[in-house]
């Protein structure tokens, strides 16, 4: 599980190194024909930067212990569902659902779309019984803490579709909340498989708190930061369990009406 903050000087050095690596990856991509995500000039591949508020970032939020007065410790995101009340995160982030709250679009102490409590948790038997890293994904239902709020969380920010069966070299965008920061970070890069069930990405500064961050392929959820080594033991390399049949069935059960 993530807990590795780094000094700003080291982060700048890694960013320079990542920029050089990104240039090499881009050249190789042209030769190999691997699709890469569009990258603006200030967002080269493999470089992590503060995420600006937009439709993608607003669907991602921080998970807090005991509300905004507590610490945020993981990340989650809103996914599409019949009732509009489902979020996705890492299974290891929901050990204490009764004291866990979700703040979509959280930024600098403000929760512009309100605070949401966990009302139900969906995890596989493989996680419950064995803490299998291949099952380190969870879906949860949420309800507003403010009982006067009408509508569901998906009505406010929208939700990511869920897409399984993505290729090992898929281009992925990650958005997540390091524990030491009060705004989300964003990084895009190509991925590779370290096993048939675990995917890896190179993005600096995704330190403690980014567990559960959505891995997006063309705007669809294809995994969450977690799995092998709880998502990684260094902030430069992160992991996600491949979204397979068990996770897809779990999602469908959580997303179904009622």
């Amino acid at each position: 599980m993530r807990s590795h903050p780094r000094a700003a000087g080291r982060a700048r050095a890694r960013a320079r190194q990542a920029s050089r690596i990104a240039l090499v990856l881009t050249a190789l991509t042209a030769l190999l024909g691997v699709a890469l995500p569009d990258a603006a000039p200030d967002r080269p591949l493999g470089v992590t930067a503060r995420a600006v508020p937009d439709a993608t970032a607003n669907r991602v939020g921080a998970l807090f212990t005991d509300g905004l007065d507590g610490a945020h410790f993981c990340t989650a995101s809103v996914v599409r569902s019949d009732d509009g009340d489902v979020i996705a995160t890492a299974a290891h982030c929901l050990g204490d659902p009764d004291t866990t709250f979700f703040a979509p679009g959280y930024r600098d102490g403000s929760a512009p779309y309100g605070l949401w409590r966990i009302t139900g948790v969906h995890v596989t038997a493989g996680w419950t019984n064995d803490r299998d890293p291949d099952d380190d994904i969870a879906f949860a239902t949420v309800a507003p803490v403010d009982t006067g709020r009408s509508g569901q969380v998906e009505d406010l920010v929208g939700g990511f579709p869920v897409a399984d069966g993505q290729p090992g070299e898929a281009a992925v965008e990650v958005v997540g909340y390091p524990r030491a920061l009060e705004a989300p970070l964003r990084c895009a890069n190509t991925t590779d498989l370290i096993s048939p069930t675990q995917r890896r990405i190179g993005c600096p500064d995704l330190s403690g708190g980014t567990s559960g961050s959505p891995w997006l392929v063309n705007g669809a959820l294809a995994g969450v930061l977690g799995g092998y080594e709880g998502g990684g033991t260094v902030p430069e390399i992160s992991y996600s369990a491949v979204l397979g049949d068990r996770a897809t069935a779990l999602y469908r059960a959580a997303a179904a009406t009622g």
Side-chain angles (χ1 to χ4, degrees):
M1 197 177 298
R2 294 306 181 77
S3 57
H4 299 276
R6 291 291 188 271
R10 292 191 62 189
R12 288 192 294 270
R14 287 196 302 272
R16 289 193 295 269
Q17 181 183 26
S19 295
R20 292 193 293 269
I21 293 171
L23 291 174
V24 174
L25 286 173
T26 301
L28 287 173
T29 296
L31 292 174
L32 297 175
V34 177
L36 292 176
D38 294 334
D42 60 339
R43 284 176 53 204
L45 295 172
V47 174
T48 304
R50 183 173 168 132
V52 299
D54 61 14
T56 296
N58 291 343
R59 294 174 185 176
V60 183
L63 291 179
F64 284 82
T65 301
D66 295 323
L68 294 182
D69 292 335
H72 62 87
F73 63 94
C74 271
T75 301
S77 59
V78 183
V79 293
R80 292 181 185 173
S81 64
D82 290 349
D83 289 339
D85 61 349
V86 176
I87 63 173
T89 187
H92 74 253
C93 291
L94 294 180
D96 296 299
D98 292 341
T99 59
T100 297
F101 296 85
F102 175 59
Y106 175 78
R107 192 174 294 263
D108 300 323
S110 173
Y113 302 104
L115 196 64
W116 300 75
R117 59 187 175 84
I118 305 295
T119 59
V121 174
H122 296 257
V123 295
T124 68
W127 179 260
T128 301
N129 297 331
D130 301 318
R131 296 297 189 265
D132 186 342
D134 292 343
D135 290 305
D136 192 9
I137 184 168
F139 297 95
T141 51
V142 296
V145 171
D146 178 5
T147 56
R149 180 183 290 275
S150 61
Q152 297 287 12
V153 66
E154 191 179 338
D155 299 327
L156 297 175
V157 299
F160 297 121
V162 175
D164 61 357
Q166 298 298 319
E169 72 280 3
V172 164
E173 181 178 34
V174 182
V175 182
Y177 287 81
R179 190 179 298 118
L181 299 179
E182 295 301 293
L185 298 180
R186 179 183 243 142
C187 179
N189 211 345
T190 51
T191 60
D192 65 334
L193 294 177
I194 63 166
S195 75
T197 57
Q198 294 287 331
R199 190 189 303 278
R200 170 175 59 189
I201 194 170
C203 280
D205 300 320
L206 297 182
S207 55
T210 56
S211 286
S213 299
W215 287 35
L216 304 171
V217 176
N218 295 322
L221 186 89
V224 300
L225 199 153
Y228 178 67
E229 294 181 341
T233 58
V234 297
E236 295 84 0
I237 302 294
S238 300
Y239 301 92
S240 168
V242 171
L243 199 68
D245 292 343
R246 291 198 301 272
T248 301
L250 192 70
Y251 164 65
R252 289 173 178 162
T257 298

